[in-house]
């Protein structure tokens, strides 16, 4: 793990029995450290998003989500849409793949800060954007979309649209989820919540397309919770929202 | 509600359809405000803890806890003990009443700061302590134990013991629950967690009494989550724990 990782993430990983190697935070340092571990232990490299197995594995969350909706509503309701955060795009492309043929529409959500919405911009411009430099508070989503995820996400029959939200919208959505649902999420997880609640484009789309009752059942993926109370203190010690 | 109530608590209450009257924070101001609402609307007063119906109602959480343990372990495990926070004592005496005859031992937990452990001290001294002035961060537990709860809690066949924890232990337990379980609790809810993890007296008791496998299944009541990210920022913006 890069040395800047959240202490609670490192502690949790060790707590589950893993041996954690710490390295520098740049891509070069990380790749070098991975190479060394593989050379020393014969370990298998598991990429974070740009691999078909990772994409398919992440996509299984959508199957669980459908199952949970069925169970919680005794089969009376179904999802109309699912929205996930989009960083490297592994989860978004996996969910989109899982939902093929189901009629469930799939959306992504990104931070707009300092061009962090590379996926949304790429879809508008019709080309894959591969370099992004943003210091958005949604630090899990600073990565540009990977090559394989892009082949799925750029197919509008699989991913309908990707929405961008501001830093302030992320903070507000996060505050709502933490204080009212009592689920401790990191800023990245609040990004699709912010899109559903505050994005004007999403609101208009639902108004236009919602069926006879004017309601859409939207599954929102909260991923993840790797943050600390000290990090939250920095985000929320300013003026009241 | 007193004007110092957590904004998210007021917002949540209104969100569920309630009409919220705001009053001053002292006991006198609160009683006067309640009197006025009753006069105006004919409403029924529901006391926070010192009433037999409240005690019995809170006690039903212990029945749910037993049921959940049964379901989660397919009937293979049972509770050895339950520990709850203790402020006015309604929940603790209710849980103790529900567990009569089950063999499940019941414990309470309090903050020690500025004498906030009135219940524990009262049990040691063999008398009901009715006045407490503490500004512990566990603000839900600043109240002294009520008269009716005391009749249950002071019976050692019903409540085995009450443990006190420090402010720093409360902060550490809270950090652990929020960051690792991802449940956003208020400091009061972390008090029984702190007792289980850090109280020496509790540790020795378990060592002495745990059965053949040396393990106790302890149900810990997390109550509640009425706090804000700004309040957390104040608690955790100091030096790292």
């Amino acid at each position: 793990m890069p040395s800047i990782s959240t202490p609670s993430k490192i502690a949790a990983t060790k707590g589950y029995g893993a041996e954690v190697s710490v390295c520098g935070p740049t891509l070069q340092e990380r790749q070098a450290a991975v190479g060394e571990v593989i050379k020393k232990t014969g370990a298998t490299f598991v990429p974070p998003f740009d691999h078909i197995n990772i994409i398919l594995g992440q996509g299984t969350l959508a199957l669980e989500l459908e199952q949970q909706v069925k169970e919680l509503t005794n089969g009376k309701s179904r999802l109309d849409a699912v929205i996930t955060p989009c960083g490297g795009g592994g989860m978004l492309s996996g969910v989109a793949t899982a939902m093929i043929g189901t009629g469930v529409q799939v959306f992504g959500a990104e931070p707009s800060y300092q061009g962090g919405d590379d996926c949304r911009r790429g879809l508008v411009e019709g080309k894959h954007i591969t370099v992004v430099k943003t210091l958005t508070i949604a630090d899990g989503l600073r990565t540009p979309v990977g090559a394989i995820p892009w082949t799925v996400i750029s197919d509008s029959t699989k991913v309908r649209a990707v929405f961008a939200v501001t830093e302030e919208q992320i903070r507000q959505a996060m505050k709502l989820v933490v204080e009212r649902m009592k689920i401790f999420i990191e800023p990245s997880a609040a990004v699709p919540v912010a899109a559903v609640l505050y994005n004007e484009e999403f609101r208009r789309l639902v108004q236009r397309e919602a069926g006879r009752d004017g309601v859409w059942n939207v599954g929102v993926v909260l991923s993840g919770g790797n943050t600390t109370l000290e990090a939250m203190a920095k985000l929320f010690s300013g003026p009241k929202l």
Side-chain angles (χ1 to χ4, degrees), chain A:
Chain A
M1 289 184 180
S3 50
I4 53 166
S5 296
T6 303
S8 63
K9 183 177 185 171
I10 298 178
T13 308
K14 286 184 178 168
Y16 293 128
E19 188 186 320
V20 175
S21 304
V22 176
C23 64
T26 71
L27 187 60
Q28 286 74 18
E29 290 168 306
R30 294 164 71 165
Q31 284 173 337
V34 164
E36 261 173 52
V37 170
I38 289 173
K39 214 168 82 183
K40 203 167 64 185
T41 64
T44 302
F45 178 61
V46 180
F49 51 83
D50 205 5
H51 190 287
I52 189 71
N53 291 353
I54 302 301
I55 292 170
L56 293 176
Q58 295 222 31
T60 62
L61 78 80
L63 306 178
E64 287 179 54
L65 192 53
E66 276 197 308
Q67 187 62 32
Q68 286 169 3
V69 170
K70 201 184 283 184
E71 285 169 13
L72 286 171
T73 67
N74 291 316
K76 278 178 203 144
S77 275
R78 62 183 297 281
L79 288 172
D80 296 303
V82 177
I83 185 166
T84 85
C86 180
M91 182 195 291
L92 176 55
S93 56
V95 166
T97 303
M99 294 295 96
I100 289 173
T102 62
V104 178
Q105 303 208 40
V106 177
F107 298 91
E110 283 180 312
S112 60
Y113 186 64
Q114 293 177 335
D117 53 341
D118 58 287
C119 186
R120 190 196 64 77
R121 290 184 294 117
L123 293 174
V124 171
E125 298 171 25
K127 62 165 194 195
H128 182 200
I129 294 174
T130 55
V131 179
V132 180
K133 279 192 183 172
T134 172
L135 291 173
T136 170
I137 56 171
D139 52 9
L141 308 181
R142 291 177 184 173
T143 325
V145 173
I148 304 174
W150 177 254
T151 64
V152 176
I153 296 170
S154 59
D155 177 345
S156 67
T157 67
K158 292 176 182 160
V159 173
R160 175 74 186 278
V162 173
F163 304 106
V165 295
T166 66
E167 301 292 282
E168 192 53 27
Q169 288 171 334
I170 296 170
R171 294 215 308 165
Q172 280 188 29
M174 185 168 165
K175 187 169 165 62
L176 188 72
V177 170
V178 172
E179 294 184 357
R180 298 291 295 276
M181 299 177 74
K182 316 297 179 194
I183 306 174
F184 192 62
I185 57 170
E186 65 183 73
S188 298
V191 168
V193 181
V196 166
L197 293 176
Y198 312 126
N199 186 281
E200 192 53 29
E201 204 183 327
F202 180 80
R203 198 183 62 76
R204 279 199 301 267
L205 188 141
V206 174
Q207 275 190 337
R208 209 164 49 233
E209 304 204 359
R212 62 193 182 294
D213 55 2
V215 170
W216 255 21
N217 293 323
V218 182
V220 181
V221 180
L222 303 181
S223 172
N226 286 313
T227 188
T228 62
L229 282 167
E230 287 82 6
M232 285 309 93
K234 276 189 201 157
L235 276 181
F236 288 92
S237 56
K240 281 221 170 192
L241 294 178

Coordinates of all heavy atoms in Angstrom, one line a residue, chain A residues 5-68:
Chain A
S5 N -1.8 5.8 2.6 CA -3.1 5.1 2.8 C -3.6 5.4 4.1 O -2.9 5.7 5.1 CB -2.9 3.6 2.7 OG -2.5 3.2 1.4
T6 N -5.0 5.4 4.2 CA -5.7 5.6 5.5 C -5.2 4.6 6.5 O -5.2 3.4 6.3 CB -7.2 5.4 5.2 OG1 -7.6 6.3 4.2 CG2 -8.0 5.7 6.5
P7 N -4.8 5.1 7.7 CA -4.3 4.2 8.8 C -5.3 3.1 9.1 O -5.0 1.9 9.3 CB -4.1 5.1 10.0 CG -3.8 6.4 9.4 CD -4.6 6.5 8.1
S8 N -6.6 3.4 9.1 CA -7.6 2.4 9.5 C -7.7 1.3 8.4 O -8.1 0.2 8.6 CB -9.0 3.0 9.7 OG -9.5 3.7 8.5
K9 N -7.4 1.7 7.1 CA -7.4 0.7 6.0 C -6.3 -0.2 6.2 O -6.4 -1.5 6.0 CB -7.3 1.5 4.7 CG -7.4 0.6 3.4 CD -7.4 1.5 2.2 CE -7.6 0.6 0.9 NZ -7.7 1.5 -0.3
I10 N -5.1 0.3 6.5 CA -3.9 -0.6 6.7 C -4.2 -1.5 7.9 O -4.0 -2.7 7.9 CB -2.7 0.3 7.0 CG1 -2.4 1.2 5.8 CG2 -1.5 -0.6 7.3 CD1 -1.2 2.1 5.9
A11 N -4.7 -0.9 9.0 CA -5.0 -1.7 10.2 C -6.0 -2.8 9.9 O -5.9 -3.9 10.4 CB -5.5 -0.8 11.4
A12 N -7.1 -2.4 9.2 CA -8.1 -3.4 8.9 C -7.5 -4.6 8.0 O -7.8 -5.7 8.3 CB -9.3 -2.8 8.1
T13 N -6.7 -4.2 7.0 CA -6.1 -5.2 6.2 C -5.2 -6.2 7.0 O -5.3 -7.4 6.8 CB -5.3 -4.5 5.0 OG1 -6.1 -3.5 4.4 CG2 -4.8 -5.5 4.0
K14 N -4.4 -5.6 7.8 CA -3.6 -6.5 8.7 C -4.5 -7.3 9.6 O -4.2 -8.5 9.9 CB -2.6 -5.6 9.5 CG -1.5 -5.0 8.7 CD -0.5 -4.2 9.7 CE 0.7 -3.7 8.9 NZ 1.5 -2.7 9.7
G15 N -5.5 -6.7 10.1 CA -6.4 -7.4 11.0 C -7.1 -8.6 10.4 O -7.4 -9.6 11.1
Y16 N -7.2 -8.6 9.1 CA -7.8 -9.8 8.4 C -6.7 -10.8 8.0 O -7.0 -11.8 7.3 CB -8.6 -9.3 7.1 CG -9.8 -8.6 7.5 CD1 -10.1 -7.3 6.9 CD2 -10.7 -9.0 8.4 CE1 -11.2 -6.6 7.2 CE2 -11.9 -8.3 8.7 CZ -12.1 -7.1 8.1 OH -13.2 -6.3 8.5
G17 N -5.5 -10.5 8.5 CA -4.4 -11.5 8.3 C -3.4 -11.3 7.2 O -2.5 -12.1 6.9
A18 N -3.6 -10.1 6.5 CA -2.7 -9.9 5.4 C -1.3 -9.4 5.8 O -1.2 -8.8 6.9 CB -3.3 -8.9 4.4
E19 N -0.3 -9.6 5.0 CA 1.0 -9.0 5.2 C 1.0 -7.7 4.3 O 0.8 -7.8 3.1 CB 2.1 -9.9 4.8 CG 3.5 -9.5 5.1 CD 4.5 -10.4 4.5 OE1 4.3 -11.7 4.5 OE2 5.6 -9.9 4.0
V20 N 1.2 -6.6 4.9 CA 1.1 -5.3 4.2 C 2.5 -4.8 3.9 O 3.3 -4.5 4.8 CB 0.3 -4.3 4.9 CG1 0.3 -2.9 4.2 CG2 -1.1 -4.8 5.1
S21 N 2.9 -4.6 2.6 CA 4.1 -3.9 2.2 C 3.8 -2.4 1.9 O 2.9 -2.2 1.1 CB 4.7 -4.5 0.9 OG 4.9 -5.9 1.1
V22 N 4.6 -1.5 2.5 CA 4.3 -0.1 2.3 C 5.4 0.4 1.3 O 6.5 0.1 1.3 CB 4.4 0.6 3.6 CG1 4.3 2.1 3.4 CG2 3.3 0.1 4.6
C23 N 4.9 1.3 0.4 CA 5.8 1.9 -0.7 C 5.4 3.3 -0.9 O 4.5 3.9 -0.3 CB 5.6 1.1 -2.0 SG 4.0 1.2 -2.7
G24 N 6.2 4.0 -1.7 CA 5.9 5.4 -2.1 C 4.6 5.5 -2.8 O 4.1 4.6 -3.4
P25 N 4.0 6.7 -2.9 CA 2.7 6.9 -3.5 C 2.6 7.1 -5.0 O 1.5 7.0 -5.5 CB 2.2 8.2 -2.8 CG 3.4 8.9 -2.4 CD 4.5 8.0 -2.2
T26 N 3.7 7.3 -5.7 CA 3.6 7.5 -7.1 C 3.4 6.2 -7.8 O 3.8 5.1 -7.3 CB 4.9 8.2 -7.7 OG1 6.0 7.3 -7.7 CG2 5.3 9.4 -6.9
L27 N 2.9 6.3 -9.1 CA 2.7 5.1 -9.8 C 3.9 4.3 -10.0 O 3.9 3.0 -9.9 CB 2.1 5.5 -11.2 CG 1.6 4.3 -12.1 CD1 0.5 3.5 -11.4 CD2 1.1 4.8 -13.4
Q28 N 5.1 5.0 -10.3 CA 6.4 4.3 -10.5 C 6.8 3.5 -9.3 O 7.1 2.4 -9.3 CB 7.5 5.3 -10.9 CG 7.4 5.9 -12.3 CD 6.2 6.9 -12.4 OE1 5.7 7.4 -11.4 NE2 5.8 7.1 -13.7
E29 N 6.7 4.2 -8.1 CA 7.1 3.5 -6.8 C 6.2 2.3 -6.6 O 6.6 1.3 -6.1 CB 7.0 4.5 -5.7 CG 8.1 5.6 -5.7 CD 7.8 6.7 -4.8 OE1 6.7 7.3 -4.8 OE2 8.7 7.0 -3.9
R30 N 4.9 2.5 -6.9 CA 4.0 1.4 -6.6 C 4.2 0.2 -7.5 O 4.3 -1.0 -7.1 CB 2.5 1.9 -6.8 CG 2.2 2.9 -5.7 CD 0.9 3.7 -6.1 NE -0.3 2.9 -6.0 CZ -1.5 3.4 -5.9 NH1 -1.7 4.7 -6.0 NH2 -2.5 2.7 -5.8
Q31 N 4.5 0.5 -8.8 CA 4.8 -0.6 -9.7 C 6.1 -1.3 -9.4 O 6.2 -2.6 -9.4 CB 4.9 -0.1 -11.2 CG 3.5 0.2 -11.7 CD 3.5 0.9 -13.1 OE1 4.5 1.5 -13.5 NE2 2.4 0.8 -13.8
A32 N 7.1 -0.6 -8.9 CA 8.4 -1.2 -8.5 C 8.2 -2.1 -7.3 O 8.7 -3.2 -7.3 CB 9.4 -0.1 -8.2
A33 N 7.4 -1.6 -6.4 CA 7.1 -2.4 -5.1 C 6.4 -3.6 -5.4 O 6.7 -4.7 -4.9 CB 6.4 -1.5 -4.1
V34 N 5.4 -3.6 -6.3 CA 4.6 -4.8 -6.7 C 5.6 -5.8 -7.4 O 5.5 -7.0 -7.1 CB 3.5 -4.4 -7.7 CG1 2.9 -5.6 -8.4 CG2 2.4 -3.7 -6.9
G35 N 6.4 -5.3 -8.3 CA 7.4 -6.1 -9.0 C 8.3 -6.9 -8.0 O 8.5 -8.1 -8.1
E36 N 8.7 -6.2 -7.0 CA 9.6 -6.8 -5.9 C 8.9 -7.9 -5.2 O 9.4 -9.0 -4.9 CB 10.1 -5.7 -5.0 CG 11.5 -5.3 -5.3 CD 11.9 -4.1 -4.4 OE1 11.7 -4.2 -3.1 OE2 12.3 -3.1 -4.9
V37 N 7.6 -7.6 -4.8 CA 6.8 -8.6 -4.0 C 6.6 -9.8 -4.8 O 6.8 -11.0 -4.3 CB 5.5 -8.0 -3.5 CG1 4.6 -9.1 -3.0 CG2 5.7 -6.9 -2.5
I38 N 6.3 -9.6 -6.1 CA 6.1 -10.8 -7.0 C 7.3 -11.6 -7.1 O 7.3 -12.8 -7.1 CB 5.6 -10.3 -8.4 CG1 4.1 -9.8 -8.2 CG2 5.6 -11.4 -9.4 CD1 3.6 -9.1 -9.5
K39 N 8.5 -10.9 -7.3 CA 9.8 -11.6 -7.5 C 10.1 -12.4 -6.2 O 10.5 -13.6 -6.3 CB 10.9 -10.6 -7.7 CG 12.0 -11.1 -8.7 CD 12.9 -10.0 -9.2 CE 14.0 -9.7 -8.1 NZ 14.9 -8.6 -8.6
K40 N 9.8 -11.8 -5.1 CA 10.2 -12.5 -3.8 C 9.2 -13.6 -3.4 O 9.7 -14.6 -2.9 CB 10.1 -11.4 -2.7 CG 11.0 -11.7 -1.5 CD 11.2 -10.5 -0.6 CE 9.9 -10.0 0.1 NZ 10.0 -8.8 0.9
T41 N 7.9 -13.5 -3.7 CA 7.0 -14.4 -3.2 C 6.3 -15.3 -4.3 O 5.6 -16.2 -4.0 CB 5.9 -13.7 -2.4 OG1 5.2 -12.8 -3.3 CG2 6.5 -12.8 -1.3
G42 N 6.4 -14.9 -5.5 CA 5.7 -15.6 -6.6 C 4.2 -15.2 -6.6 O 3.4 -16.0 -7.1
A43 N 3.8 -14.1 -5.9 CA 2.4 -13.7 -5.8 C 1.8 -13.4 -7.2 O 2.6 -13.1 -8.2 CB 2.3 -12.5 -4.9
T44 N 0.5 -13.5 -7.3 CA -0.2 -13.1 -8.5 C -0.6 -11.6 -8.4 O -1.2 -11.2 -7.4 CB -1.4 -14.0 -8.8 OG1 -1.0 -15.3 -8.8 CG2 -2.2 -13.6 -10.0
F45 N -0.4 -10.9 -9.5 CA -0.8 -9.5 -9.5 C -2.3 -9.4 -9.8 O -2.8 -9.9 -10.7 CB -0.1 -8.7 -10.6 CG -0.5 -7.2 -10.7 CD1 -0.3 -6.4 -9.6 CD2 -1.0 -6.7 -11.8 CE1 -0.7 -5.0 -9.6 CE2 -1.4 -5.4 -11.9 CZ -1.2 -4.5 -10.8
V46 N -3.0 -8.7 -8.9 CA -4.5 -8.4 -9.1 C -4.6 -6.9 -9.4 O -4.5 -6.1 -8.5 CB -5.3 -8.8 -7.9 CG1 -6.8 -8.5 -8.1 CG2 -5.1 -10.3 -7.5
P47 N -4.9 -6.5 -10.6 CA -5.0 -5.1 -10.9 C -6.3 -4.5 -10.3 O -7.3 -5.2 -10.1 CB -5.1 -5.1 -12.5 CG -5.6 -6.5 -12.8 CD -5.2 -7.4 -11.7
P48 N -6.3 -3.2 -10.0 CA -7.4 -2.6 -9.3 C -8.7 -2.5 -10.2 O -9.8 -2.5 -9.7 CB -6.9 -1.2 -8.9 CG -5.7 -0.9 -9.8 CD -5.1 -2.3 -10.2
F49 N -8.5 -2.3 -11.5 CA -9.8 -2.1 -12.3 C -9.6 -2.6 -13.8 O -10.6 -3.1 -14.4 CB -10.3 -0.7 -12.3 CG -9.3 0.3 -12.6 CD1 -9.0 0.7 -13.9 CD2 -8.6 1.0 -11.6 CE1 -8.0 1.6 -14.2 CE2 -7.6 2.0 -11.9 CZ -7.3 2.3 -13.2
D50 N -8.4 -2.5 -14.3 CA -8.3 -2.7 -15.8 C -8.1 -4.1 -16.2 O -7.1 -4.5 -16.9 CB -7.2 -1.8 -16.3 CG -7.4 -1.4 -17.8 OD1 -8.5 -1.8 -18.4 OD2 -6.6 -0.8 -18.4
H51 N -9.0 -5.0 -15.7 CA -8.8 -6.4 -16.1 C -10.2 -7.1 -16.1 O -11.1 -6.7 -15.2 CB -8.0 -7.1 -15.0 CG -7.6 -8.5 -15.4 ND1 -8.5 -9.6 -15.3 CD2 -6.4 -9.1 -15.8 CE1 -7.9 -10.7 -15.7 NE2 -6.6 -10.4 -16.0
I52 N -10.5 -7.9 -17.0 CA -11.8 -8.5 -17.2 C -12.3 -9.2 -16.0 O -13.5 -9.1 -15.7 CB -11.8 -9.3 -18.5 CG1 -13.2 -9.7 -18.9 CG2 -10.9 -10.6 -18.4 CD1 -14.0 -8.5 -19.4
N53 N -11.5 -9.9 -15.3 CA -11.9 -10.7 -14.1 C -12.4 -9.7 -13.0 O -13.3 -10.0 -12.3 CB -10.8 -11.6 -13.6 CG -10.6 -12.7 -14.5 OD1 -11.3 -12.9 -15.5 ND2 -9.5 -13.5 -14.2
I54 N -11.6 -8.6 -12.8 CA -12.0 -7.6 -11.8 C -13.3 -7.0 -12.2 O -14.2 -6.8 -11.3 CB -10.9 -6.5 -11.7 CG1 -9.5 -7.1 -11.4 CG2 -11.3 -5.4 -10.7 CD1 -9.5 -7.9 -10.1
I55 N -13.5 -6.7 -13.4 CA -14.8 -6.1 -13.9 C -15.9 -7.0 -13.7 O -17.0 -6.6 -13.1 CB -14.6 -5.7 -15.4 CG1 -13.6 -4.6 -15.6 CG2 -16.0 -5.3 -16.0 CD1 -13.2 -4.3 -17.0
L56 N -15.8 -8.3 -14.0 CA -16.9 -9.2 -13.8 C -17.1 -9.4 -12.3 O -18.3 -9.6 -11.9 CB -16.5 -10.5 -14.5 CG -16.5 -10.4 -16.1 CD1 -16.1 -11.8 -16.7 CD2 -17.8 -10.0 -16.6
G57 N -16.1 -9.5 -11.6 CA -16.2 -9.7 -10.1 C -17.0 -8.5 -9.5 O -17.9 -8.7 -8.7
Q58 N -16.6 -7.3 -9.8 CA -17.3 -6.1 -9.3 C -18.7 -6.1 -9.8 O -19.6 -5.6 -9.0 CB -16.6 -4.8 -9.7 CG -15.2 -4.7 -9.1 CD -14.9 -3.3 -8.6 OE1 -15.8 -2.6 -8.1 NE2 -13.6 -3.0 -8.6
G59 N -19.0 -6.6 -11.0 CA -20.4 -6.6 -11.5 C -21.3 -7.4 -10.7 O -22.5 -7.2 -10.7
T60 N -20.8 -8.4 -9.9 CA -21.7 -9.3 -9.1 C -22.4 -8.5 -8.1 O -23.5 -8.9 -7.6 CB -20.9 -10.4 -8.5 OG1 -20.0 -9.9 -7.6 CG2 -20.2 -11.3 -9.5
L61 N -21.9 -7.3 -7.7 CA -22.7 -6.5 -6.7 C -24.0 -6.1 -7.3 O -25.0 -6.0 -6.5 CB -21.8 -5.2 -6.3 CG -21.8 -4.0 -7.2 CD1 -23.0 -3.1 -7.1 CD2 -20.5 -3.2 -6.9
A62 N -24.1 -5.9 -8.6 CA -25.4 -5.6 -9.2 C -26.4 -6.7 -9.1 O -27.6 -6.5 -8.9 CB -25.3 -5.2 -10.6
L63 N -25.9 -7.9 -9.2 CA -26.8 -9.1 -9.0 C -27.3 -9.2 -7.6 O -28.5 -9.5 -7.3 CB -26.0 -10.4 -9.4 CG -25.4 -10.4 -10.8 CD1 -24.6 -11.7 -11.0 CD2 -26.4 -10.2 -11.9
E64 N -26.4 -8.9 -6.6 CA -26.8 -8.9 -5.2 C -27.8 -7.8 -4.9 O -28.8 -8.0 -4.2 CB -25.6 -8.7 -4.3 CG -24.7 -9.9 -4.2 CD -23.5 -9.6 -3.3 OE1 -23.6 -9.2 -2.1 OE2 -22.3 -9.8 -3.8
L65 N -27.6 -6.6 -5.6 CA -28.5 -5.5 -5.4 C -29.9 -5.9 -5.9 O -30.9 -5.7 -5.2 CB -28.0 -4.3 -6.1 CG -28.5 -2.9 -5.9 CD1 -28.6 -2.6 -4.4 CD2 -27.7 -1.9 -6.7
E66 N -30.0 -6.5 -7.0 CA -31.3 -6.9 -7.6 C -32.0 -7.9 -6.6 O -33.2 -7.9 -6.4 CB -31.1 -7.7 -8.9 CG -31.0 -6.7 -10.1 CD -31.2 -7.5 -11.4 OE1 -30.5 -8.5 -11.6 OE2 -32.1 -7.1 -12.2
Q67 N -31.2 -8.9 -6.1 CA -31.7 -9.9 -5.2 C -32.2 -9.2 -3.9 O -33.3 -9.6 -3.4 CB -30.5 -10.8 -4.8 CG -31.0 -12.0 -4.0 CD -32.0 -12.9 -4.7 OE1 -32.0 -13.0 -5.9 NE2 -32.9 -13.5 -4.0
Q68 N -31.5 -8.2 -3.4 CA -31.9 -7.6 -2.1 C -33.2 -6.8 -2.4 O -34.0 -6.8 -1.5 CB -30.8 -6.6 -1.7 CG -29.6 -7.3 -1.1 CD -28.4 -6.4 -0.8 OE1 -28.5 -5.2 -1.1 NE2 -27.3 -7.0 -0.4

